[in-house]
Amino acid sequence: MQTPKPELSTEKLEQRARNILLFQLSSGAKSAKQLRDRLEKKEIPTDLAEKLITRFTEVGLIDDLAVAQTIAQSRKSTRGWSNMAIKRDLQRRGISLENIEIALQEFDSESEYQTALRIAQAKQRTLRNVDALTAQRRLQGFLGRRGYSSAIVYSVVREVLTADSHNF
């Protein structure tokens, strides 16, 4: 039989909540919503959670815009995600639409195309031993799963396969 947890004093509860927030932030930047959800999961009262999140935001420990910009840059450069895929990821993390738009404004349609082209060229090198139709299908699926529009997918696939047509 499990013994009930002893009630914590307000000061101890606040210190526990602070420790949870600091621990979460030490493992990487998190949005205010992610931290709010974590405090809720740890059974921290909502009013205390809001008070601490507001305070951490005021002193700059929580910054949703910085989180959005970091994630957008990382997903674009290392994983080759489209703006739409990054936007969905940021929305899931509770980032406001205003902050998402600011984070994505440096990625225009030309940079979106260039990113898609770069990752498609890298993927195409692994498809040298398959026929052209299979390579086309796999590249289209690969780019589609990263959230690129069909117009970009078809344009990039056509460019990549045309440039490498001497291998087919």
Side-chain angles (χ1 to χ4, degrees):
M1 192 162 135
Q2 199 174 21
T3 59
K5 291 182 183 177
E7 287 297 315
L8 295 175
S9 69
T10 305
E11 294 81 24
K12 286 191 178 193
L13 190 59
E14 186 171 333
Q15 187 56 50
R16 180 170 179 258
R18 285 178 189 276
N19 289 341
I20 292 167
L21 288 174
L22 291 170
F23 178 76
Q24 290 296 310
L25 291 168
S26 71
S27 66
K30 307 268 188 310
S31 70
K33 180 193 180 299
Q34 289 174 302
L35 294 168
R36 211 174 270 113
D37 292 347
R38 190 64 177 157
L39 290 173
E40 182 181 317
K41 186 176 179 183
K42 295 289 189 174
E43 299 177 0
I44 301 298
T46 305
D47 58 333
L48 176 58
E50 285 306 315
K51 175 184 151 190
L52 289 174
I53 287 174
T54 299
R55 180 67 184 136
F56 275 49
T57 302
E58 288 170 356
V59 298
L61 292 173
I62 300 173
D63 184 351
D64 282 359
L65 178 57
V67 169
Q69 290 172 323
T70 301
I71 290 171
Q73 185 61 46
S74 171
R75 298 304 185 261
K76 184 66 79 170
S77 63
T78 61
R79 297 183 185 177
W81 284 14
S82 70
N83 290 353
M84 187 56 68
I86 294 168
K87 182 178 180 180
R88 279 193 306 267
D89 184 43
L90 293 174
Q91 286 176 321
R92 183 184 55 77
R93 294 170 187 265
I95 305 291
S96 71
L97 286 176
E98 178 184 347
N99 285 337
I100 292 172
E101 288 175 14
I102 293 169
L104 292 176
Q105 73 188 53
E106 72 179 86
F107 306 118
D108 60 4
S109 58
E110 181 58 30
S111 72
E112 179 98 338
Y113 185 86
Q114 291 304 317
T115 301
L117 183 61
R118 177 180 52 83
I119 65 171
Q121 288 168 334
K123 178 68 174 174
Q124 196 279 331
R125 286 190 284 275
T126 68
L127 300 174
R128 292 191 186 266
N129 296 328
V130 299
D131 63 276
L133 191 57
T134 301
Q136 177 182 355
R137 189 181 70 247
R138 289 184 185 174
L139 283 171
Q140 288 170 343
F142 175 76
L143 293 171
R145 286 187 298 277
R146 279 162 182 71
Y148 290 99
S149 69
S150 57
I152 288 178
V153 168
Y154 291 119
S155 198
V156 165
V157 169
R158 184 175 35 250
E159 183 174 338
V160 168
L161 293 180
T162 301
D164 201 47
S165 64
H166 64 276
N167 288 332
F168 291 107

